[in-house]
Amino acid sequence: MDNNKRPRRFRDGNSPRPAQSHFSPNAGRNAPAREPLATGPFADMGIDHRINANIAAMGLTRPTPIQEQGIPAVVEGRDVMGLAQTGTGKTAAFGLPMLTRLIKYGKKPDPKTCRALILAPTRELATQIATNIEAYAEGTPIRSYRVVGGASINVQTERLSRGVDVLIATPGRLIDLIERRAIDLRETTYLVLDEADQMLDIGFIHALRRIAKMLPKQRQTLLFSATMPKLMEELAATYLTNPVRVAVNPPGQAAKKIDQGVHFVSQGDKATLLAEYLSKHIGELAIVFGRTKHGSDKLARLLEKWGFSVAAIHGNKSQGQRERALEAFRKGQTQVLVATDVAARGLDIPEVAHVYNYDLPNVPDNYIHRIGRTARAGRDGRAVAFCAPAEIDELRAIEKTMKTSIPVIGGEAPPAQATSSRAAKGRPARPNGGNARPARRPSRKPAGQRSNA
């Protein structure tokens, strides 16, 4: 959440919002003079006084670089392409000016329509955005709604029948609702693609192209991405018109307040080492990233057996299970969250003090997203990577991406030859220049290293 010190529960199909009055004819800047005038940097950029009061109460009083550069362009109605890592305040950068502009409509949306569509790659990120949008818009006529897989599509269909101002959705569930004719995008005048690079990584490109054809050509489009691969440039050229480009916290750079370290350890000793680290900060929140769903579940059960308060989230968990696990973690009822990369973006819990990369990610950028779950809202954080001999190549790729070396805080790095392709696969180098075979092939890697989550 963007500097949000007062998280509010968003409303979805499982907790419907009671009927309330909607837009008044005197909305937005046409309000009577007796309404209080907002002051401060956000007000100076044109943010509505009610929204400004909400974010001030949440502790958001000074704009981050992406907010400072992006908000004026959005208020002006320009398309924006933002390049920034998670945790830089992107949700407020697009949410505050978008809500300000929506307030000016002066009437409620038509049934089965939405005025603004925000697409996110994961349920967790969609949930985080929905929570923020509702907090920003509290006390205004704006009504937001979130639709993701794993929740009742019938309840979602019923809610959309009344129309909604801001719809936050994952692409897959949105397509399902479109096919049921539960939502019509022809009146959608704002489109936001958040973490667009991750949407491409997990195969949503065809869904995005299909959705784009259903939107009016006359719209404002805001695209935010942590990286800018070639396909992203093509996507931007298709979706955006003469966009303002905003780039902060360049790709490959982690937050400066994160104290990073790598501990070299054999794969079989990782669980014991993790328990030793966790025992040093009992009561503080820690996220442990694994590579696979099965491996994360297995690790969570082991830690629980050892007496730690643990929850696990990954793609095989139902939406209800994931939300309950995150809520317990957010409240401090559990101190350790074991997760796959579904939690690498969009998880904003400022109290997270430690991140452990139990398994190094296959994609270097995911390391940066993972450790970005700590050192949020101006706090300090610590990130420790466990590196087994078979993960040396992954470590080197991460360091190359970040253009820096991660300090060694434990264990011993394997000898130079261990970075060869055979060593990276967990095999010993062949003697005599590779002409002889080892007498015995080592066992397969543990399940936690075989596939991506």
Side-chain angles (χ1 to χ4, degrees), residues 343-366:
R345 306 195 198 196
L347 195 63
D348 187 4
I349 302 175
E351 293 77 15
V352 173
H354 308 270
V355 168
Y356 293 98
N357 278 281
Y358 187 82
D359 295 313
L360 294 184
N362 293 324
V363 179
D365 285 323
N366 285 353

Side-chain angles (χ1 to χ4, degrees), residues 8-336:
R8 295 175 174 85
R9 183 184 178 191
F10 71 92
R11 294 173 172 89
D12 60 8
N14 296 319
S15 52
R17 179 188 291 273
Q20 299 182 32
S21 61
H22 213 84
F23 288 90
S24 68
N26 293 318
R29 293 184 176 177
N30 295 323
R34 67 177 180 273
E35 292 188 346
L37 295 176
T39 59
F42 289 101
D44 293 342
M45 289 188 283
I47 300 304
D48 178 83
H49 70 91
R50 288 162 289 186
I51 297 172
N52 193 65
N54 288 336
I55 61 176
M58 294 157 54
L60 206 169
T61 56
R62 296 181 59 186
T64 64
I66 195 167
Q67 293 162 5
E68 200 167 40
Q69 297 177 50
I71 287 177
V74 181
V75 169
E76 292 173 8
R78 297 285 303 276
D79 285 4
V80 172
M81 183 169 71
L83 185 63
Q85 302 290 348
T86 57
T88 54
K90 288 181 295 181
T91 306
F94 64 74
L96 303 182
M98 181 186 71
L99 292 172
T100 294
R101 290 172 65 84
L102 288 174
I103 286 174
K104 300 177 186 177
Y105 271 75
K107 64 177 184 178
K108 63 190 298 185
D110 292 332
K112 297 186 178 183
T113 68
C114 66
R115 291 201 170 114
L117 172 63
I118 303 174
L119 291 176
T122 67
R123 302 174 190 177
E124 282 69 29
L125 181 55
T127 297
Q128 191 67 58
I129 294 171
T131 305
N132 285 335
I133 293 296
E134 181 167 311
Y136 302 154
E138 185 169 314
T140 75
I142 300 296
R143 297 294 173 261
S144 59
Y145 189 64
R146 179 207 68 159
V147 294
V148 298
S152 170
I153 196 169
N154 292 327
V155 172
Q156 294 173 354
T157 297
E158 191 279 330
R159 174 61 185 88
L160 291 175
S161 67
R162 304 195 297 274
V164 64
D165 299 297
V166 182
L167 181 63
I168 304 100
T170 50
R173 177 47 59 99
L174 181 62
I175 292 291
D176 293 340
L177 290 163
I178 290 171
E179 290 177 345
R180 288 184 173 221
R181 298 185 179 180
I183 184 70
D184 187 335
L185 302 180
R186 287 178 291 182
E187 295 185 20
T188 302
T189 53
Y190 296 92
L191 172 65
V192 180
L193 302 178
D194 196 15
E195 303 289 1
D197 54 342
Q198 188 183 14
M199 282 195 270
L200 298 184
D201 288 343
I202 59 182
F204 280 136
I205 181 61
H206 298 297
L208 293 179
R209 287 171 175 162
R210 183 176 174 185
I211 292 167
K213 294 178 181 178
M214 303 177 189
L215 294 162
K217 292 184 178 180
Q218 296 299 319
R219 67 174 188 267
Q220 185 176 9
T221 303
L222 315 173
L223 185 152
F224 292 88
S225 178
T227 60
M228 193 57 62
K230 183 178 180 181
L231 187 56
M232 183 61 61
E233 293 283 0
E234 297 173 5
L235 189 70
T238 301
Y239 276 81
L240 306 177
T241 302
N242 189 27
V244 174
R245 292 176 177 253
V246 178
V248 299
N249 207 20
Q253 292 188 6
K256 294 181 180 179
K257 288 194 173 185
I258 302 175
D259 181 18
Q260 299 181 63
V262 59
H263 195 130
F264 292 101
V265 59
S266 67
Q267 185 66 32
D269 290 332
K270 281 186 176 182
T272 303
L273 180 63
L274 175 62
E276 291 177 4
Y277 272 101
L278 294 175
S279 297
K280 295 176 182 178
H281 52 79
I282 297 294
E284 297 181 346
L285 299 189
I287 300 178
V288 180
F289 282 101
R291 188 176 295 173
T292 67
K293 304 166 190 175
H294 173 74
S296 296
D297 268 339
K298 184 178 179 181
L299 178 60
R301 288 194 299 268
L302 183 60
L303 291 174
E304 188 172 35
K305 182 179 177 181
W306 288 345
F308 294 97
S309 177
V310 186
I313 62 169
H314 51 69
N316 280 353
K317 298 281 188 180
S318 70
Q319 184 62 23
Q321 289 174 318
R322 288 157 76 161
E323 290 183 5
R324 286 191 294 272
L326 286 174
E327 186 65 15
F329 184 63
R330 186 175 284 110
K331 291 180 177 179
Q333 295 169 353
T334 56
Q335 281 77 52
V336 182

